[in-house]
Amino acid sequence: MQKHNRPTVADLLSLKGKRQLTMLRVTSLEEAEAAQRAGIDMLSVPPTLLGPAFREAAPSPFAIPGLEYGDYVSAEEYMREAFKALKAGGDAVYCAASLAIIRRMRDEGIPVCSHVGLIPSKATWTGGFRAVGKTSISAFEIWRQTKALEEAGAFAVEIEVVPGDIAAAISQRTSMLMISMGAGTGCDAQYLFADDVLGSNRGHRPRHAKVYRNFAAEFDRLQNERAAAFAEFADDVRSGAYPEKGHEVAIDRQELEAFLRLVAEQTL
């Protein structure tokens, strides 16, 4: 395994207000390895991606596996999965569950990153998939939620699709690491999904996403090449062009004749 010098929670918190950190959501070992090469600071990952192969691919980034809201119910279930994720190579866990559950995990020393603003799993409470915090009342509610998470023991919070001025004001007033997803430059980290960065997402592209490559077009090209290769294989089989002699296993002529004699004797 490659030597690494992965940052700790304390390391990340010490950088608050000093420089912007980078964070990506990756879902494959190839994306994780590319993030390692690019020097990305933090990775959001599905728990199933963790393990020795993940840390071989990405030994240095701080990894935050997500404990998806609704997949677990009790604090015990969340803690069991959190410990499993940490043992598999995670450095903290993402959790958008209740303050009581976050507090329980913090009491056990589990670093927790939570969520405010637009929380996809709870979007019905804030009007759907839209910006949050555009009025003083709704912005104050985000501030209240942030402070409650801080008191519960979260070390970081993803703040999603909130006006930049609001996010900056909140970030300046909390000791937690504030991770911006479409919430401006006044936070401590900038977070995007690899699918958006690579242009591989064919569906809705959020306003805050920036596309750096067009993987969708490349996937189309590769799919066309895949279908063409399969068609050529089928044509070769039908025409007798495949397999050729070079694709077959040869046998000594004497051994073949001996085999045929044995078969003939068995069929008498």
Side-chain angles (χ1 to χ4, degrees):
M1 182 174 288
Q2 302 176 43
K3 184 178 179 181
H4 63 77
N5 186 25
R6 213 152 67 233
T8 64
V9 168
D11 292 331
L12 294 179
L13 291 175
S14 72
L15 294 173
K16 184 176 176 68
K18 295 180 181 177
R19 73 171 177 89
Q20 289 269 293
L21 298 169
T22 55
M23 182 169 174
L24 286 173
R25 169 71 174 182
V26 300
T27 57
S28 70
L29 293 177
E30 291 80 7
E31 290 177 349
E33 192 274 338
Q36 166 74 25
R37 282 200 269 165
I40 300 299
D41 298 301
M42 298 184 290
L43 297 178
S44 166
V45 300
T48 53
L49 189 63
L50 293 172
F54 169 76
R55 277 309 179 190
E56 187 71 27
S60 301
F62 188 93
I64 307 177
L67 304 183
E68 296 300 330
Y69 184 72
D71 286 353
Y72 316 101
V73 178
S74 67
E76 287 71 22
E77 288 176 334
Y78 272 100
M79 286 194 295
R80 185 179 300 110
E81 293 304 313
F83 279 125
K84 186 186 299 183
L86 295 180
K87 288 179 67 176
D91 299 296
V93 295
Y94 166 89
C95 178
S98 69
L99 294 172
I101 288 175
I102 291 172
R103 192 172 291 111
R104 282 285 303 278
M105 288 200 287
R106 178 62 182 87
D107 287 345
E108 295 298 332
I110 300 170
V112 176
C113 172
S114 195
H115 205 151
V116 296
L118 171 59
I119 307 173
S121 59
K122 302 178 181 179
T124 189
W125 295 100
T126 53
F129 288 82
R130 54 191 296 182
V132 183
K134 296 178 70 173
T135 68
S136 59
I137 299 301
S138 61
F140 185 77
E141 178 61 17
I142 296 170
W143 159 248
R144 188 194 65 77
Q145 292 170 357
T146 301
K147 294 304 289 182
L149 289 167
E150 183 177 38
E151 292 167 5
F155 86 96
V157 172
E158 177 186 344
I159 182 166
E160 184 169 349
V161 196
V162 170
D165 290 339
I166 297 298
I170 291 174
S171 184
Q172 292 165 10
R173 291 167 173 80
T174 177
S175 62
M176 293 186 298
L177 204 69
M178 298 301 292
I179 301 170
S180 168
M181 178 169 274
T185 60
C187 296
D188 305 300
Q190 296 299 320
Y191 177 25
L192 285 177
F193 278 36
D195 279 352
D196 291 327
V197 171
L198 299 175
S200 55
N201 186 355
R202 298 178 187 276
H204 170 72
R205 183 174 296 133
R207 179 171 54 186
H208 59 264
K210 184 173 181 179
V211 179
Y212 292 82
R213 293 293 185 274
N214 188 356
F215 271 39
E218 186 66 10
F219 290 153
D220 287 341
R221 185 189 69 80
L222 289 173
Q223 181 64 6
N224 289 335
E225 287 295 309
R226 184 180 289 115
F230 290 171
E232 290 171 22
F233 162 67
D235 288 343
D236 277 358
V237 171
R238 296 184 188 108
S239 69
Y242 177 86
E244 301 172 23
K245 285 295 183 183
H247 300 124
E248 299 177 1
V249 178
I251 185 172
D252 182 82
R253 183 67 187 178
Q254 290 182 335
E255 292 296 332
L256 174 60
E257 291 174 353
F259 164 73
L260 294 175
R261 284 196 299 271
L262 289 171
V263 172
E265 291 170 1
Q266 287 291 317
T267 56
L268 291 177

